[in-house]
């Protein structure tokens, strides 16, 4: 099995990388940054997103595992103090695996992929668009923006907006509003909408002055009048320790 290490660019993560590298080599495990079977991510959630986008064209061959170097990290089950357990799990390939569909977004033929969410935002002027669920019109939206996430991204920006947390074993899509205008003239649903994974969401409007954000990245609207978001056929494989628990992850990340 070949490993790559993708780390946050800070001293702590660099040091940890060198330590892990040495331990892997001592354990006769191979390092191959170009064509790994497993990518070891060292850092926080932002680093995890960057690692996934870095290996975006190889997701069918690569699995990801996180070793958290800071205090926050939803994508991480191992922390710095667990290095022995971490190396042992790698040597014995002792993991549970979960697969998740990425989000796919079609912007005038430009296809982008996201792990957490895709969002359209205009914090300065009213953002307006028509929202369609599988070609059926839901509403005309007016506000600061809209966000679509999957189960993995439900605990990220979506959660800050009051969206529901979706258990990671439920492959779903969620549409969440950002500072919606609700008055006598303009109405929209006003709450997050959780949808089956085979739903296609279409947004029709003028996206020219809108920031299209996906994970830690942004992209130009490319004069698109219609943008579609749906669950991609592309999947990501996450490796977790055998005793990992989603509830524990929620508790450690949000409750205490
Ligand atoms: P970052 O590491 O600074 O991430 C920003 C915050 O989001 C961190 O607190 C991180 O722990 C958390 N986060 C990211 N993915 C998560 C997930 N799946 N579950 C729980 N928490 C998660 O790095 P960044 O490059 O700025 O990350 C981009 C991400 O930041 C976006 O995907 C978006 O979800 C998030 N974001 C959040 C807000 C908000 O909550 N108000 C605003 C903008 C962006």
């Amino acid at each position: 099995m070949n490993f790559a290490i993708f780390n946050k660019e800070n001293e702590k993560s660099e040091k940890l990388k060198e330590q892990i590298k040495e331990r892997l080599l001592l354990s006769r495990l191979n390092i191959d940054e170009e064509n790994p079977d497993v990518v070891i991510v060292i850092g926080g959630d932002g680093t995890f997103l960057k690692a996934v986008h870095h290996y975006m064209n190889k997701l069918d061959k690569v699995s990801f595992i996180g070793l958290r170097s800071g205090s926050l990290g939803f994508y991480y089950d191992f922390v710095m103090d667990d290095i022995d357990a971490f190396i042992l799990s790698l040597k014995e390939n002792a993991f549970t695996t979960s697969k998740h569909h990425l989000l796919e977004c079609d912007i005038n033929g430009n296809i982008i992929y996201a792990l957490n969410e895709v969002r359209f935002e205009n914090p300065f002027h009213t953002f307006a668009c028509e929202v369609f669920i599988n070609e059926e019109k839901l509403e005309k939206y007016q506000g600061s923006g809209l966000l679509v996430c999957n189960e993995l991204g439900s605990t990220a920006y979506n959660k800050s907006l009051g969206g529901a947390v979706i258990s990671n074993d439920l492959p779903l899509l969620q549409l969440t509003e950002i500072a919606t205008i609700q008055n006598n003239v303009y109405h929209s649903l006003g709450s997050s909408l959780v949808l089956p994974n085979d739903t296609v969401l279409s947004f029709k409007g003028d996206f020219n002055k809108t920031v299209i954000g996906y994970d830690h990245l942004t992209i130009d609207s490319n004069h698109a009048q219609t943008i579609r978001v749906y669950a991609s056929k592309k999947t990501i494989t996450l490796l977790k320790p055998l005793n990992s628990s989603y509830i524990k992850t929620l508790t450690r990340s949000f409750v205490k």
Side-chain angles (χ1 to χ4, degrees):
M1 191 173 300
N2 294 329
F3 295 90
I5 305 177
F6 191 101
N7 63 292
K8 186 174 177 159
E9 287 175 8
N10 65 8
E11 205 183 321
K12 206 194 230 178
S13 305
E14 289 287 348
K15 265 192 186 157
L16 201 50
K17 176 187 180 165
E18 289 314 313
Q19 230 176 315
I20 297 290
K21 214 171 179 176
E22 203 179 306
R23 295 285 298 270
L24 287 177
L25 294 173
L26 277 175
S27 305
R28 297 181 187 281
L29 297 169
N30 302 322
I31 294 182
D32 184 343
E33 303 288 347
E34 283 300 309
N35 291 302
D37 302 299
V38 175
V39 176
I40 299 166
V41 188
I42 300 174
D45 289 321
T47 312
F48 205 91
L49 295 173
K50 281 185 191 150
V52 172
H53 282 271
H54 182 81
Y55 287 100
M56 188 56 81
N57 294 330
K58 298 178 179 169
L59 290 191
D60 52 333
K61 299 183 190 81
V62 172
S63 306
F64 293 83
I65 183 148
L67 182 63
R68 179 158 53 93
S69 63
S71 53
L72 274 176
F74 202 80
Y75 284 107
Y76 296 77
D77 286 285
F78 288 98
V79 290
M80 284 169 72
D81 300 342
D82 301 334
I83 292 185
D84 288 341
F86 183 70
I87 296 289
L88 192 67
S89 305
L90 293 178
K91 271 170 76 174
E92 296 183 350
N93 197 13
F95 297 110
T96 56
T97 304
S98 68
K99 253 190 200 312
H100 306 268
H101 291 273
L102 296 194
L103 291 162
E104 189 166 316
C105 178
D106 182 342
I107 307 163
N108 244 0
N110 269 354
I111 302 291
I112 55 169
Y113 299 96
L115 185 65
N116 271 349
E117 79 281 295
V118 175
R119 52 195 195 266
F120 318 116
E121 281 182 273
N122 187 336
F124 302 111
H125 300 286
T126 306
F127 164 72
C129 76
E130 291 182 312
V131 181
F132 294 81
I133 310 291
N134 291 331
E135 305 298 325
E136 197 171 338
K137 185 168 168 181
L138 170 73
E139 63 190 14
K140 177 156 186 185
Y141 174 84
Q142 299 241 7
S144 293
L146 288 165
L147 173 152
V148 182
C149 68
N150 55 12
E151 66 280 11
L152 292 177
S154 69
T155 41
Y157 194 0
N158 170 71
K159 184 173 181 298
S160 305
L161 295 168
V165 169
I166 298 175
S167 179
N168 272 4
D169 51 6
L170 287 175
L172 293 170
L173 298 178
Q174 183 169 187
L175 172 67
T176 295
E177 303 178 0
I178 305 172
T180 305
I181 298 171
Q182 299 279 20
N183 55 30
N184 286 343
V185 181
Y186 302 120
H187 297 284
S188 58
L189 189 62
S191 67
S192 278
L193 178 60
V194 176
L195 294 156
N197 212 28
D198 59 358
T199 308
V200 177
L201 293 111
S202 306
F203 304 92
K204 295 188 183 177
D206 180 3
F207 293 91
N208 267 339
K209 290 185 181 146
T210 308
V211 175
I212 302 175
Y214 60 114
D215 297 343
H216 57 297
L217 301 165
T218 57
I219 187 169
D220 194 82
S221 73
N222 197 19
H223 303 291
Q225 298 292 315
T226 301
I227 293 182
R228 293 188 314 130
V229 184
Y230 42 91
S232 179
K233 287 201 174 80
K234 230 184 220 305
T235 56
I236 176 169
T237 305
L238 303 178
L239 301 181
K240 304 209 161 265
L242 295 175
N243 63 353
S244 92
S245 142
Y246 182 66
I247 301 303
K248 276 205 186 87
T249 306
L250 281 181
T251 306
R252 99 169 136 71
S253 304
F254 298 112
V255 185
K256 57 176 186 182

